[in-house]
Amino acid sequence: MSTRHGSRLSRRSADKALDLHAGTGAPQLDALLRAAAAPASGEAAGEAAALATFRAAGLLSTTPTGRLTIMKRATSRLLTAKALAIGVIAVSGAGGVALAATTGHLPNPA
């Protein structure tokens, strides 16, 4: 399978294609390049207004919470590690008692 293409785009052809006034000769490509070069409208233009509305409604934080987030994450990880350790100890203990009962190493009740 060959990945070589016989007709490559020369530098001059690429510059000509990107020059919106000259055009490429392909109407669909010209329309696509004009649309890509056009200034932003609609959604991007209203971004500042949307952010201001969210901040006013209290849905978007205006203060950085980086340190608080780091502390919460560290505390969460520590508690998860402790819970995991307790779970491992409990399962090991129950497994040890079950093994001792199965092999007959538990004392007989009197």
Side-chain angles (χ1 to χ4, degrees):
M1 180 163 97
S2 175
T3 58
R4 256 185 106 104
H5 301 288
S7 59
R8 292 207 169 225
L9 190 63
S10 69
R11 182 179 271 299
R12 188 179 348 165
S13 297
D15 287 338
K16 183 180 174 187
L18 293 175
D19 182 15
L20 295 177
H21 301 293
T24 62
Q28 293 176 336
L29 180 58
D30 290 339
L32 177 67
L33 291 173
R34 277 193 301 277
S41 63
E43 294 178 21
E47 181 180 2
L51 287 174
T53 304
F54 277 113
R55 284 191 180 109
L59 298 174
L60 193 65
S61 175
T62 56
T63 59
T65 58
R67 181 152 174 80
L68 183 60
T69 304
I70 291 171
M71 292 301 292
K72 281 184 178 180
R73 191 176 305 148
T75 303
S76 174
R77 287 181 181 170
L78 180 64
L79 290 176
T80 302
K82 284 183 178 182
L84 183 63
I86 290 171
V88 167
I89 291 171
V91 168
S92 297
V97 169
L99 180 65
T102 303
T103 58
H105 287 86
L106 285 179
N108 290 331

